[in-house]
Structure formats: C-alpha cells, structure tokens
C-alpha cells in the first residue's frame, strides 16, 4: 500500500486524526471538519494501488461546500474531481483547476496510521 | 480605457528612435483588424503595434453574434483579451474612436485628443448597417444588428414587444428574424426585392426558401417598400408600404445591407469608390503607400467583400507587404452554406448563371422541399455555380469542383440528383494538395496533410495547428473528412470514443456490457478501458448498467459512478442543498398526501413550489436531512420522483373523460398506468410523457418524448418531441391504438432508444440522427424489420418487474445512509448554508448577504438541526 504525501510546509501545521479508513468511500469523497475548515478527502484505488488526497471542500466557482460530492477520475493521468455544480476539474494532488487558471483550491497532506486517517493543517 | 502596458506617447517615440522599430497603428479591432494583429505577431517581425478599438471591448466573433441569444456571453464570443495582447506586446486601447489622420506628420488622433504616431497605418474600420431613409426610422425600438450592444438593445426591446419586423430579407435579415422568433415575438420579414436572399439565390430558390420560412411561422412580405413608420393602433408602430398596405409592429430591426466605414478615407484624401469603400490594390495599399485598408471598409476591384474569409485574406496580404514578404489579395470566393431557422441553404459562385453560355441543371422535389441548381460552363466541363435549398449535402463536393476547376463527369446532373447509388462521390482523396479546404484561414489540403505528418493525430490537433475551421465554420464537414481519411491512411483509427478512457461509443459500450454480462464499472474498465474513468464515462456506464440490469443504483460498486444528483437521490441546488420531488403519477394527488407534503415542508422549513411537471418540489434540504425527510414521505405512501435521474420524469395528464365535457378517454388513468410502468427506466437522457383526453391537447403531449392523444377509437401515439432549449413537436407515429398495442409500441421505442442513443441525446435528436428517421423507426417498431421487437419488449418487462423505489431501499440500508453525512467526524452542519425570508418562505442567502454580517443577523432563519 503506498500512501500519497503532499509536501505542504505550513509554519504551524499539525496532524489531525480525522476518521477510520473504513469511513472513506473507494473512488469517491467524504468531508471532514478540521479546525473549523471543511476538508474533502478522497480514497483512490487504481489497480492494486491506493492513494489518499485531501483538498478544501469549498467550490470557488459555485461558492458552496460541495467538492467531496463530485465524481473522481483521471484526465491525462492527473487524478481529478469534477465539481458537482459546474463541472470544473480540480487536480487532487495540487488543487489546480484544469479549466481556469484564476481559481484553485488548497491541497492538504494525508497520512494513514494504524487505519486512522490523518490530515495536516 | 487603456489596456496593455501603454506608455505615454513621447516615451514611445524616444524608445522607437533608438530601436528603429516600425510603428504600426491599426484602426478598428473587428474580426479582420484582429486577424491582422495575429498574423503580424506570427511573423515575429520586430515592430511596435498599437490597436485602436472604437468599441468598448476588443475583437469578438461577429459571425457567431446570434449565438448571444442562445446564451453565449460577450466573454464566449471574445476573440482575444487584454492579457493576450499584453503577452504579445501589443498596446490596445478601447473606446478609442479615431477622428483625424495627419498624413504629412503621420499621426492619428482620437476623439479624446490622444495622438498616436505611425510608420504604417492600417484601416480596419469595417462597415455599419444601412438604415433606409424612411421617416420615423430613428424612434425608440428601431434597431440594427451589428454589435454586442445592438443585441443587448434588441433583447431589452423584445422583452417589451409582441410583434417584430425585420426590414431586409438577405442573409443577415433572416438571421435577425430567427433571433426575434426565438425571443418569442410574432416575426415578419419585409423585403423590397421580389425574393429573399436575392444576392445568393435565384428566384426559384428564393421562393422555396420563403415557403419554408413561412412554414416555420415567420411571415415574409416581398416587394414592399416602406414609406413611413408611424404610431400604431394595436402595436407601438405601424409601417406603411408603397402599395398602400400596412403592418403593425412593436419593434423594427433594419438589416438592409451594410455600408463601408470609409469616413476616415473620405475626409483625409484617400481615393474612395463612387459608392463608397476605400480603394486598395492587391497588396491592400490605399492611394497613400503608408496606409492599408482591409476588411469590409476596403474596395478591391470595385467590390466590397462582406464576409470574413476575404477580409482575412486581405489581412494576410497586408501583413506580407508590411513585413517585406510576398503575398497578394486576388479576390475571393463568396460561396456560402448556412442553416437559416433549420432550413439548409447553399450558394456557390455564379448562382444566377450570368456567365455567357452558362448551362443549367435543376432538380426540384416539391413534396420534400428540396431544390438544387447546378450552373456549368458551355462545355459542361466545369462547375460555375450552384444553389441548394433544403439539402446542402452536395455543397462541399460542388464547391471543390468549382474552386479547383475539377473536370466534371460525363453526366454532371448526377452531382445533384438524389443518391441513385452511382453518384460520383468526390471524397477527400479526390482533392489535390492545393485544394483549399478552409478559405477563412487559407488552409489547403496540403497544409492539413503536413500538419498530420508533423504529428497532429486528431481533428482538434489539426484545428489548433492550422486554424482551419475556426472562422466561419463552413468547412467543418470537409475538414473532418480530410482529416479522417488521412488518419485512416496512416492506420490511425478515427476515434468516436466517448472519452479518453474508453475507445468506444455509448452504443458499443452498451453491447459490450450486455453481451459480456459485465455488471460493474471496475470490470468494464479492466476489460475495455484505461485510467480511472471520469465524469463523462462513469455516469454513462451507470446509466447503461441500470438500463440493462436495473440494479439498485447505490449498490456499492455503482456508487462512485453517479453524478451527485443520483448519489444523493436529489437535485443539488446552487448552495449545495437538495430538492425533493416525490412522484405524483399523472399529476393526481389526494388531499391527505398534499397535507403530508405541507407538514413535512413546515417541519423542515423547506421552500415549496409547483413544478412544470405537475408535481411539488421541496427545496433547501441539507444532505443530512434527506433520509429523515424521505422516511416520512415513504411512510406516507410517496415514492422517489427520479427528478435527479436521466430517466422517466413525469407523465403529464389533462382532466380527461371522467370530468371534462369534451374528453373521449380517461387520460388520467392512462397517464398513471404509463408512469407506473416506465418509472424505473434509466436512459441516455430524461424522458417525458403526456396524455391528453381529446384533440384539444391540454396536456401538451406533442411537446413530449412520448405523447398520447385520445381519439374516439383509442389512442394516437406521438414520439420524439421535447420542449427545452430546442423545442420540437413530436411526430405522429401510429393512430387509434388499443391499450395493449400502445404499451407494446412504447416499450419498443424506448428500449430501442435506451440501447442505441448517444449519451445525453434526447429522443428527438436521436431520431433525427437515425438513418431513415421516423420511417426507419416505424419499420423497426411497427414492422419489426430488425426482428428485435420480442427482445425489446422482454427487456422492458424486466425493467418494469425489477422496479424498486430507490429511496425506500436507501432508508432501509444503514450502509447507504452513511453517505448522507456532511462530515465523517462531526455532527455539525454546513455553516455556509444560510437562508433569508422572501414571500413568506426561505430562499438561499446570496453571497453578498452572507458576507454582510449585519444582514445575516437580522434576517437569517436559524437552521435547526432536526
Ligand atoms: C423543477 C422544474 C422547474 C419547475 O419548478 O417547474 C425543473 C427544474 C430543472 N430542470 Fe427542467 N424543470 C422542470 C420542468 C421542465 C420542463 C417542463 C416539463 O417537463 O413539462 C422542461 C421542458 C420540457 C422538456 O424537457 O422537453 C424542462 C427542460 C429542462 C432542460 C432542457 C432539456 C432539453 O432537452 O433542452 C434542462 C437541462 C437538461 O436536462 O440538460 C432542465 C434541467 C433542469 C434542472 C435539473 C437544472 C439543474 O441541473 O439544476 C432543474 C432541477 C431543479 C431541481 O432541483 O428540481 N430542464 N424542465 C421542473 C420539474 C418538473 C418535474 O416535476 O419533474
Ligand atoms: C450577425 C452577423 C452575422 C454574420 N455572419 C457571417 C457569416 O456567417 N460568414 C461570414 O463570412 N461573415 C459573416 N458576417 C460578416 C462578418 O462579421 C464581417 O465580414 C467581419 O466582421 C468584417 O470584419 P471587419 O474587421 O472588416 O469589420 P468589423 O468587424 O465591423 O470591425 C470594424 C471595427 O472598427 C471599428 N471602427 C470603425 N471606425 C473606427 C474609427 N474611426 N476608430 C476606431 N474604430 C473604428 C468599429 O467599431 C468595429 O469595431 C456576419 C456579420 C453579422 C453582423
Ligand atoms: S428553466 Fe429550468 S433549468 Fe432554467 S432556471 Fe428554470 S428550473 Fe432551472
Ligand atoms: S472556411 Fe470559414 S472556417 Fe474554414
């Protein structure tokens, strides 16, 4: 099992225990509330390979907290989620919007430890 | 407004003195002015470019201007933006109307008095609409059709008008008429000449076009000279014509031709044509060798060219001359192919047969409304021109014959006769390398072959590398032919693939899933796809699984495939909440159920509204509230209404024979039975039905995918209609059916649709794309020409038998319910969901309201956690 790591050096970043891995949904998203911030967490299984990603749940185009409810997939090898509102694609690893240069969402680091999901922020 | 890194003029001068850069000033940033800039940038020539746009914005696509009425925005139409010009190092100034050219000192001045020195000046000032000098033509609601501002004015005026008249029955006039019609106005076209599109069409073609356009509900009045526009009686205005007749209207739209914007040429001593237009030579130079004129303001060989392709060719010739390259403008082809209000029209070269000795072949099929005329030279060896109405499928071939002087076959008439099997087809392969494919961007077949040799391997690649087909769009079909044929020659399979993960069409995937009994997306992906899938193929696959197997859609493997609406069994609203639409079959509902809906809405503080589909929508439920609400609905006897799904929505009904004094059958009972039979059916797009109890048609059945109208003897069945963006009346499919046959036919039509349509294709478009259309569909469904009717019925029976209410299944499954939490680690609710009160109900707070603390504190209805 490989774990996706996100290098996100924030000055006072801390790891937060969020949930059990069974709370995640394979190839889809769930949402967690961490320090008052909504974080969308995705569990991507490709072949035998598992990857975890976390991004802010706020849709900067639709102005609503919905990104975890989007469809995940790949576009030219980038793992993405499509916003359920207006269908822009966000790259899960970087939070970049593929259609629009002027918007992006914040990515967060995820770690799995003894079947618990940890998020850094 | 100044955009780009514009520097004060003196500094620019000083900089230029040292760098010796050639200063090029372009007046006008229309399509042609912009093309000039783009081409000049492509040459990488070292020059200092300034663009002075008289409009409030930079260049936009005037050719597709009408799509503004179909929802395109100014942004969508933009051909460039400030940022792009900035990156190119082009200074662009908007609202810069030039009023003076000092040819001695080589300086132009705008109306604000700003000056811009030049070494070379380019006039790309285009043209303006001609408004005939009719008394009363300058009143409010008398408009023209040229700029985005014009369209805004038309929209605003149409909103306060019932009747609209377009003055001018040329190409643009008819396009404008279409816009008025779409805006819902009673539309008239008034034309001075005896026929429509007199420039491009012969009288026969013009007459046929008139019939067709009138059949679409636009009234055409030819040979009418408007004398005055005065106050009206039933409408705002009354137009009086030379023959004494009158026409009442609220809005007048002039589209009576264009006139070159040549004022600058006139005032500052350039040679101008007798009837306007700045005279240019083959290099597009005016009578002043340092000034060029291109596009619709230019007069070449006594002609103004009112199309983009010739303007682009002029821009290229001028760029070549400015940069010291060779290139000239040698006239241009004015052929056109277009669809006016759905009527196909084509005109090539000498459409009127005016060339001495010209011979003509015509084909006229009155019943089907097709007219084709082929004009050839005296030797019957070359195509000189053509007119095509009602069917332009021969346009590309004929145009190639004409443009490339291809020798005609022994029987030229075969080129326009309906396919008798031995039609000499001029495929992409028959064209030489020098054949022009795209005249807007001057792309030859050789350029396309070159682009493919250089690595382009799709239509998209070729388009972006050569720009072919990005102008007027007239060459799209031909370009695709050439690209497909070249790619196939190189062994590249031409992709009709649904997305990058599956190399199959939806129909092929359907077959694979059915034949190989594939039941999950993972299995489909492993066997036939690659990557993880995406938001195109996942919902498409989910819909096919549902049509073929009809599993519970939230079964674990299907869950991540669904659009959020299907996953949460509700329609997501703009703030992330959901709407709830229980099924109300046929629109019939008991008082108890109405009361229950009201009670639930009150309890959860939901906004309630009657939908256009005869049922009730409850809005504003948070994702975590959905299960509890549905628990109550299901307990009260409601089922899911599938408002979120690509599946059967509603079967609308009218009152019918039970109550209505005119009804001849029980339309309500029939609607309820049909809704209950097909309610679980998932399909490529949503499906709507209606049943009317008599010919008065109160249920609007002819606007539905399946429409049923009662007769004395049974039911008439209509198929493949819809409302929505492009309304289409349903076609009469069969008459006087009994109940059993009616259901049989519907089973077959819908199952055939579910199996063969493309993703998100509604029944109307599906049928229009079936080769043979309605007749073919009838032969499959009524005559069983493919021998599949038993199978189609059996499959539909399986769907009906395996129906389950998805909400009932969901609330009984603890596993499924886990998804209806906002947070995996907290019971809090989404604090961004806030409501304010309006007309005694809730509505989502706007972005501004949410951010204005004060407002929120005053009016927000606290959301209780229920
Ligand atoms: C609720 C309702 C409006 C209303 O309050 O009256 C509605 C609401 C929506 N319609 Fe509609 N349509 C509603 C009746 C209609 C009708 C009228 C009818 O059914 O008689 C039409 C035209 C008839 C037709 O479809 O042929 C209609 C044509 C559309 C279209 C255009 C379809 C087309 O082929 O052009 C869309 C867009 C689409 O489906 O892609 C659409 C899409 C939508 C969506 C799903 C847009 C969206 O993605 O949010 C809206 C969902 C709102 C929601 O959450 O419930 N809606 N929509 C109506 C629900 C009827 C129902 O009880 O199920
Ligand atoms: C509704 C519509 C549909 C059309 N459909 C088609 C089609 O299907 N196929 C086709 O080939 N063609 C079509 N055309 C024609 C096509 O749009 C024109 O041929 C093309 O836009 C001409 O480009 P241009 O740059 O010469 O002129 P324009 O696009 O008119 O641009 C000229 C610009 O110069 C500005 N200007 C003028 N004087 C000054 C001044 N003194 N100072 C500063 N700025 C000035 C004007 O404000 C304008 O912005 C259509 C046109 C319309 C209106
Ligand atoms: S027409 Fe339909 S889709 Fe458009 S706003 Fe109204 S409900 Fe929404
Ligand atoms: S001919 Fe106009 S885009 Fe190709």
């Amino acid at each position: 099992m490989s774990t996706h790591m996100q290098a996100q050096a924030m000055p006072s970043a801390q790891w937060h225990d969020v949930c059990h891995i069974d709370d995640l949904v394979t190839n889809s998203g769930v949402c967690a509330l961490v320090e008052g911030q909504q974080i969308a967490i995705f569990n991507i299984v490709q072949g035998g390979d598992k990857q975890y990603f976390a991004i802010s749940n706020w849709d900067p185009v639709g102005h609503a907290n919905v990104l975890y409810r989007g469809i995940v997939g790949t576009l030219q090898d980038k793992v993405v989620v499509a916003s359920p509102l207006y269908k822009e694609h966000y790259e899960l690893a970087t939070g970049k919007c593929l259609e629009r240069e002027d918007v992006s969402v914040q990515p967060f680091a995820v770690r799995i430890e003894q079947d618990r999901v940890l998020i850094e922020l | 407004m100044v955009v780009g890194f514009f520097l004060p003029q003196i500094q620019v001068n000083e900089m230029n003195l040292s760098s010796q850069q050639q200063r090029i000033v372009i007046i006008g940033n229309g399509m042609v002015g912009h093309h000039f800039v783009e081409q000049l940038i492509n040459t990488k020539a070292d020059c200092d470019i300034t663009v002075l746009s008289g409009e409030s914005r930079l260049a936009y696509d005037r050719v597709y201007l009408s799509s503004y009425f179909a929802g395109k925005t100014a942004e969508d139409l933009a051909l460039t933006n400030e940022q792009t010009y900035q990156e190119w190092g082009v200074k662009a100034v908007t609202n810069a109307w030039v009023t003076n050219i000092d040819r001695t000192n080589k300086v132009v001045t705008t109306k604000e008095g700003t000056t811009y020195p030049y070494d070379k000046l380019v006039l790309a000032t285009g043209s303006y609409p001609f408004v005939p000098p009719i008394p009363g033509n300058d009143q409010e609601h008398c408009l023209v059709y040229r700029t985005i501002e014009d369209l805004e004015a038309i929209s605003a005026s149409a909103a306060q008008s019932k009747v609209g008249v377009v003055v001018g029955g040329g190409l643009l006039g008819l396009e404008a008429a279409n816009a008025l019609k779409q805006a819902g106005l009673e539309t008239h076209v008034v034309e001075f000449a005896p026929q429509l599109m007199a420039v491009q069409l012969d009288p026969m073609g013009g007459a046929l076009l008139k019939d067709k356009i009138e059949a679409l509900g636009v009234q055409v009045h030819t040979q009418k000279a408007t004398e005055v526009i005065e106050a009206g009686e039933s409408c705002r205005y009354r137009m009086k014509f030379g023959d004494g007749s009158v026409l009442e209207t609220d809005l007048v739209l002039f589209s009576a031709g264009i006139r070159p914007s040549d004022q600058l040429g006139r005032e500052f001593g350039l040679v101008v044509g007798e009837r306007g237009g700045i005279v240019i030579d083959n290099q597009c130079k005016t009578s002043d060798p340092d000034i060029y004129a291109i596009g619709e303001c230019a007069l070449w060989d006594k002609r103004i060219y009112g199309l983009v392709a010739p303007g682009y060719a002029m821009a290229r010739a001028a760029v070549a001359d400015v940069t010291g390259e060779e290139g000239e403008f040698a006239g241009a082809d004015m052929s056109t192919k277009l669809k006016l209000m759905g009527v196909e029209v084509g005109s090539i070269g000498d459409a009127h047969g005016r060339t001495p000795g010209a011979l003509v072949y015509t084909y006229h099929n009155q019943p089907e409304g097709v007219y084709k005329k082929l004009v050839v030279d005296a030797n019957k060896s070359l195509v000189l021109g053509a007119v095509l109405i009602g069917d332009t499928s021969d346009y590309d071939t004929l145009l190639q014959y004409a443009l490339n002087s291809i020798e005609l076959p022994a029987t030229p008439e075969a080129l326009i006769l309906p396919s008798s099997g031995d039609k000499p087809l001029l495929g992409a392969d028959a064209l030489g390398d020098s054949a022009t494919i795209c005249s807007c961007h001057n792309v030859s077949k050789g350029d396309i072959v070159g682009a493919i040799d250089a690595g382009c391997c799709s239509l998209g690649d070729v388009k972006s590398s050569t720009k072919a087909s990005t102008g007027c769009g007239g060459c799209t079909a031909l370009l695709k032919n050439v690209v497909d044929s070249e790619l196939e020659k190189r062994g590249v399979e031409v992709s009709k693939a649904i997305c990058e993960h599956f190399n199959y069409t939806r129909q092929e995937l359907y077959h694979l899933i059915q034949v190989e009994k594939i039941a999950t997306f993972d299995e489909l992906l492993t066997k036939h796809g690659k990557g993880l899938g995406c938001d195109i193929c996942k919902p498409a696959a989910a819909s096919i699984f549902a049509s073929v197997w009809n599993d519970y859609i939230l079964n674990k493997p299907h869950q991540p495939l669904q659009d959020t609406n299907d996953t949460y069994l509700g329609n997501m609203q703009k703030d992330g909440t959901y709407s709830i639409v229980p099924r109300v079959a046929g629109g019939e509902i008991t008082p108890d159920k109405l009361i229950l809906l009201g009670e639930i809405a009150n309890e959860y503080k939901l906004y309630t509204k009657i939908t256009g589909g005869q049922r009730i929508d409850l809005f504003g439920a948070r994702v975590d509230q959905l299960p509890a609400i549905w628990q109550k609905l299901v307990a009260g006897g409601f089922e899911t209404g599938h408002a979120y799904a690509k599946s059967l929505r509603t079967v609308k009904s009218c009152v019918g024979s039970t109550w209505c004094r005119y009804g001849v059958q029980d339309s309500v009972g029939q609607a309820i039975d049909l809704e209950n039979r097909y309610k679980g059916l998932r399909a490529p797009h949503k499906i709507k039905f209606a049943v009317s109890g008599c010919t008065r048609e109160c249920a609007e059945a002819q606007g539905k995918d399946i429409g049923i109208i009662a007769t004395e003897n049974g039911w008439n069945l209509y198929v493949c209609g819809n409302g929505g963006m492009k309304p289409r009346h349903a076609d009469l499919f069969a008459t006087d059916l009994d109940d059993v046959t009616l259901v049989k036919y519907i089973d077959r039509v819908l199952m055939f649709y579910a199996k063969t349509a493309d993703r998100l294709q509604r029944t109307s478009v599906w049928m229009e794309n079936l080769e043979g259309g309605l007749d073919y569909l009838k032969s499959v469904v009524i005559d069983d020409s493919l021998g599949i009717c038993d199978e189609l019925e059996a499959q539909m029976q399986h769907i009906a038998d395996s129906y389950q209410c998805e909400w009932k299944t969901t609330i009984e499954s603890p596993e499924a319910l886990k998804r209806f939490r906002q947070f995996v680690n907290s019971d809090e609710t989404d604090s961004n969901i806030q409501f304010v009160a309006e007309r005694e109900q809730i509505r989502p707070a706007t972005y501004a309201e949410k951010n204005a603390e004060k407002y929120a504190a005053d009016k927000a209805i606290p959301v209780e956690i229920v």
Side-chain angles (χ1 to χ4, degrees):
Chain A
M1 184 211 282
S2 81
T3 303
H4 186 83
M5 291 281 281
Q6 186 64 56
Q8 248 275 302
M10 296 254 291
S12 59
Q14 275 180 32
W15 288 96
H16 299 265
D17 180 324
V18 176
C19 61
H20 191 270
I21 44 168
D22 288 347
D23 289 324
L24 303 183
V25 186
T26 307
N27 286 332
S28 188
V30 299
C31 183
L33 191 63
V34 186
E35 306 266 293
Q37 201 171 339
Q38 298 198 17
I39 315 279
I41 309 170
F42 300 89
N43 165 18
I44 306 297
V45 180
Q46 202 167 8
D49 202 26
K50 279 194 189 175
Q51 298 183 76
Y52 300 90
F53 297 96
I55 58 173
S56 158
N57 189 39
W58 177 251
D59 177 339
V61 177
H63 293 159
N65 286 310
V66 294
L67 288 187
Y68 82 95
R69 294 180 222 154
I71 296 184
V72 297
T74 46
L75 285 181
Q76 320 224 287
D77 298 331
K78 291 191 177 109
V79 182
V80 297
V81 62
S83 158
L85 278 170
Y86 303 113
K87 317 291 172 195
E88 300 83 8
H89 296 93
Y90 295 91
E91 190 182 352
L92 293 182
T94 63
K96 277 198 187 124
C97 176
L98 300 192
E99 287 81 8
R100 290 178 53 166
E101 280 178 12
D102 57 329
V103 291
S104 62
V105 296
Q106 193 183 345
F108 297 94
V110 193
R111 200 168 78 204
I112 307 296
E113 230 166 62
Q114 289 161 355
D115 287 348
R116 299 294 300 173
V117 181
L118 308 183
I119 304 280
E120 189 182 36
L121 88 154
Chain B
M1 182 181 53
V2 177
V3 296
F5 52 88
F6 172 68
L7 299 164
Q9 217 46 60
I10 309 143
Q11 276 181 20
V12 174
N13 278 337
E14 282 167 3
M15 273 170 39
N16 287 336
L17 282 178
S18 55
S19 66
Q20 292 290 311
Q21 266 182 329
Q22 179 161 233
R23 290 166 307 185
I24 299 173
V25 173
I26 301 123
I27 306 180
N29 193 228
M31 298 185 74
V32 175
H34 170 65
H35 195 71
F36 177 91
V37 175
E38 203 177 37
Q39 296 295 314
L40 186 58
I41 293 296
N42 280 347
T43 65
K44 307 216 159 55
D46 183 28
C47 40
D48 172 60
I49 307 170
T50 303
V51 168
L52 302 176
S53 168
E55 292 191 50
S56 63
R57 57 187 102 233
L58 295 178
Y60 52 89
D61 197 340
R62 230 180 274 292
V63 169
Y64 285 97
L65 199 58
S66 300
S67 62
Y68 178 88
F69 288 116
K72 284 271 157 72
T73 60
E75 213 169 282
D76 297 328
L77 291 174
L79 293 174
T80 181
N81 53 38
E82 302 173 8
Q83 210 182 339
T84 311
Y85 272 1
Q86 209 163 62
E87 279 162 20
W88 291 354
V90 172
K91 292 185 266 311
V93 192
T94 52
N95 290 318
W97 191 263
V98 175
T99 49
N100 190 58
I101 305 177
D102 176 347
R103 287 170 49 202
T104 323
N105 296 309
K106 293 195 165 181
V107 174
V108 300
T109 312
T110 60
K111 67 173 184 302
E112 277 93 22
T114 319
T115 54
Y116 301 89
Y118 66 84
D119 296 313
K120 301 279 180 202
L121 181 65
V122 180
L123 301 177
T125 49
S127 61
Y128 61 91
F130 169 65
V131 178
I134 301 165
N137 66 7
D138 55 352
Q139 309 176 66
E140 237 193 306
H141 304 283
C142 292
L143 305 164
V144 295
Y145 200 78
R146 176 94 198 162
T147 64
I148 289 183
E149 282 72 16
D150 292 339
L151 297 211
E152 284 166 352
I154 293 168
S155 288
S157 169
Q160 320 162 29
S161 302
K162 285 209 183 70
V163 183
V165 170
V166 175
V167 177
L171 208 144
L172 280 186
L174 295 178
E175 203 171 308
N178 192 29
L180 293 188
K181 186 167 168 270
Q182 277 172 354
L185 301 195
E186 176 193 321
T187 306
H188 300 258
V189 172
V190 171
E191 167 61 52
F192 179 70
Q195 71 164 87
L196 292 177
M197 284 180 71
V199 179
Q200 294 90 351
L201 303 182
D202 64 343
M204 186 66 223
L208 185 60
L209 181 62
K210 176 172 183 255
D211 289 350
K212 292 196 160 224
I213 284 177
E214 289 194 321
L216 294 168
V218 171
Q219 294 173 52
V220 179
H221 314 267
T222 49
Q223 275 180 299
K224 294 272 178 206
T226 313
E227 296 204 318
V228 62
I229 303 170
E230 53 189 26
E233 270 167 26
S234 59
C235 293
R236 200 173 282 135
Y237 301 126
R238 176 168 41 197
M239 302 173 72
K240 260 197 186 152
F241 303 111
D243 59 6
S245 58
V246 295
L247 181 60
E248 294 261 335
T249 182
D250 296 312
L251 183 167
V252 183
L253 188 51
F254 290 103
S255 182
I258 53 167
R259 293 290 179 268
S261 294
D262 55 9
Q263 306 90 318
L264 292 174
R266 270 175 208 284
E267 278 184 47
F268 303 104
L270 301 178
V271 175
V272 172
E274 248 167 65
R275 300 177 55 212
I278 304 165
V279 173
I280 56 167
D281 63 11
N282 292 4
Q283 274 64 48
C284 300
K285 274 197 185 107
T286 65
S287 52
D288 177 335
D290 290 322
I291 304 184
Y292 298 81
I294 54 178
E296 289 188 341
C297 64
L299 186 72
W300 182 88
D301 192 24
K302 304 198 177 84
R303 281 191 85 161
I304 297 277
Y305 289 92
L307 293 174
V308 276
Y312 282 4
M314 289 180 198
R316 286 190 296 269
V319 165
D321 201 67
V322 168
T323 55
E325 298 290 319
E326 274 187 23
E328 59 168 19
F329 178 74
D333 175 58
M334 295 285 279
S335 303
T336 12
K337 173 173 79 170
L338 63 165
K339 221 174 181 174
L340 286 166
M341 305 181 215
V343 181
E344 296 182 3
V345 179
S347 160
I348 296 175
D350 180 10
H352 297 270
R354 291 186 180 132
T355 313
L359 298 170
V360 167
Y361 296 89
T362 52
Y363 167 75
H364 188 183
N365 179 339
Q366 196 175 11
E368 285 180 16
V370 176
Y371 172 71
K372 302 183 194 181
K373 166 166 140 180
L374 176 64
V375 183
V376 303
D377 70 341
N379 300 329
K380 294 195 285 183
S381 68
L382 294 177
V383 172
L384 297 176
V387 175
L388 303 167
I389 308 281
D391 172 9
T392 51
S393 52
D394 300 326
Y395 179 87
D396 288 345
T397 303
L398 293 174
L399 183 64
Q400 289 304 322
Y401 271 100
L403 290 183
N404 299 302
S405 304
I406 299 173
E407 179 97 13
L408 277 168
T411 51
E413 66 272 28
L415 290 177
I416 54 166
L417 289 178
S419 210
S420 48
D422 53 358
K423 191 163 189 161
L425 256 188
L426 189 61
D429 291 347
L431 299 174
D433 269 359
S434 63
T436 303
I437 304 299
C438 172
S439 39
C440 285
H441 291 279
N442 194 26
V443 183
S444 66
K445 182 177 164 195
D447 296 332
I448 292 164
V449 173
I452 292 174
D453 287 340
C456 291
C457 46
S458 70
L459 185 62
D461 290 353
V462 172
K463 269 187 171 175
S464 45
S465 128
T466 63
K467 302 211 100 197
S469 178
T470 59
C472 71
C475 60
T476 317
L478 186 62
L479 176 71
K480 186 172 183 313
N481 264 337
V482 173
V483 172
D484 285 358
S485 134
E486 290 299 317
L487 286 176
E488 265 162 27
K489 268 191 222 159
R490 288 164 178 72
V492 179
E493 233 175 279
V494 180
S495 171
K496 297 183 188 77
I498 175 164
C499 69
E500 66 180 65
H501 306 102
F502 291 96
N503 216 348
Y504 299 100
T505 61
R506 181 185 182 276
Q507 192 179 353
E508 287 165 342
L509 283 180
Y510 195 107
H511 283 301
L512 288 172
I513 288 171
Q514 196 174 34
V515 172
E516 299 179 15
K517 302 210 176 342
I518 297 175
T520 66
F521 187 73
D522 276 351
E523 189 183 345
L524 185 67
L525 199 60
T526 318
K527 282 193 172 154
H528 301 288
K530 59 168 193 262
L532 264 187
C534 66
D535 52 315
I536 307 270
C537 57
K538 283 181 170 180
S543 148
I544 299 173
F545 291 135
S547 301
V548 178
W549 312 123
N550 210 20
D551 266 355
Y552 169 49
I553 66 154
L554 293 192
N555 265 352
K556 213 162 184 180
H558 301 329
Q559 253 187 43
L561 306 182
Q562 313 287 350
D563 233 332
T564 182
N565 284 355
D566 279 287
T567 310
Y568 296 95
L569 305 168
N571 295 48
M572 185 186 274
Q573 305 298 315
K574 61 201 292 183
D575 58 351
T577 63
Y578 289 85
S579 72
I580 293 169
V581 192
R583 191 166 290 290
V584 177
E588 183 182 272
I589 186 164
T590 62
D592 280 342
K593 280 190 166 171
L594 274 176
I595 290 167
L596 178 64
L597 286 179
E599 281 172 356
I600 291 176
N602 257 338
E603 180 180 351
Y604 289 88
K605 300 207 164 46
L606 304 174
Y607 167 81
T608 54
K609 175 178 187 303
I610 309 289
T611 72
Q614 297 189 334
R615 43 196 194 169
I616 295 167
D617 205 343
L618 314 176
F619 293 84
R622 295 189 318 267
V623 70
D624 52 282
Q625 295 175 313
L626 289 172
I629 295 173
W630 274 102
Q631 193 114 41
K632 296 199 164 125
L633 287 169
V634 170
F638 280 106
E639 286 182 334
T640 180
H642 291 101
Y644 45 81
K646 301 291 174 240
S647 64
L648 178 76
R649 291 287 168 86
T650 62
V651 181
K652 235 170 125 168
S653 73
C654 69
V655 191
S657 57
T658 324
W659 292 88
C660 175
R661 60 197 161 133
Y662 295 115
V664 291
Q665 306 279 351
D666 175 14
S667 52
V668 181
Q670 183 66 276
I672 294 173
D673 287 350
L674 290 173
E675 185 153 347
N676 284 328
R677 176 168 182 80
Y678 300 105
K679 63 190 170 188
L681 177 67
R682 279 193 152 65
H685 209 314
K686 58 190 174 193
I687 303 171
K688 297 176 178 182
F689 282 32
V691 186
S692 280
C694 82
T695 143
R696 285 167 192 75
E697 244 286 67
C698 299
E700 300 170 310
Q702 289 165 95
K704 300 288 179 245
D705 298 275
I706 298 288
I708 295 143
I709 302 177
T711 67
E712 299 278 350
N713 311 313
W715 307 96
N716 283 353
L717 172 62
Y718 291 78
V719 299
C720 304
N722 59 243
M725 280 169 268
K726 198 160 173 283
R728 180 185 189 279
H729 274 160
D731 288 305
L732 181 60
F733 192 77
T735 53
D736 291 333
L737 302 176
D738 57 43
D739 288 356
V740 175
T741 318
L742 178 71
V743 168
K744 251 190 195 165
Y745 284 0
I746 300 174
D747 275 6
R748 295 173 186 178
V749 171
L750 290 184
M751 208 63 216
F752 192 49
Y753 164 65
K755 286 170 94 105
T756 58
D758 247 339
R759 121 177 217 284
L760 297 186
Q761 194 173 44
R762 284 197 69 176
T763 52
S764 58
V765 181
W766 164 71
M767 188 188 76
E768 279 166 4
N769 284 336
L770 282 179
E771 205 145 330
L774 179 67
D775 289 336
Y776 175 71
L777 187 60
K778 279 188 189 165
S779 75
V780 172
V781 168
I782 300 176
D783 311 329
D784 199 7
S785 62
L786 299 180
I788 56 169
C789 285
D790 287 346
E791 187 191 329
L792 295 175
E793 281 172 41
Q795 277 161 348
M796 188 62 84
Q797 195 57 48
H798 168 71
I799 302 279
D801 292 343
S802 53
Y803 172 80
Q804 52 184 317
C805 167
E806 289 153 7
W807 264 112
K808 185 160 182 288
T809 314
T810 302
I811 53 181
E812 286 163 0
S813 152
E815 186 58 32
L817 286 178
K818 272 175 77 179
R819 290 227 78 181
F820 294 85
R821 298 186 285 187
Q822 174 75 16
F823 301 116
V824 277
N825 62 342
S826 160
D827 286 336
E828 278 190 44
T829 55
D830 181 355
S831 60
N832 179 54
I833 296 177
Q834 293 172 24
F835 303 109
V836 296
E838 186 170 276
R839 296 189 295 273
E840 296 165 61
Q841 297 206 62
I842 59 158
R843 69 157 169 82
T846 63
Y847 193 62
E849 285 163 355
K850 280 183 208 167
N851 292 300
E853 294 275 337
K854 189 185 113 310
Y855 196 87
D858 284 356
K859 285 212 177 157
I861 296 180
V863 180
E864 293 156 38
I865 312 229
V866 214

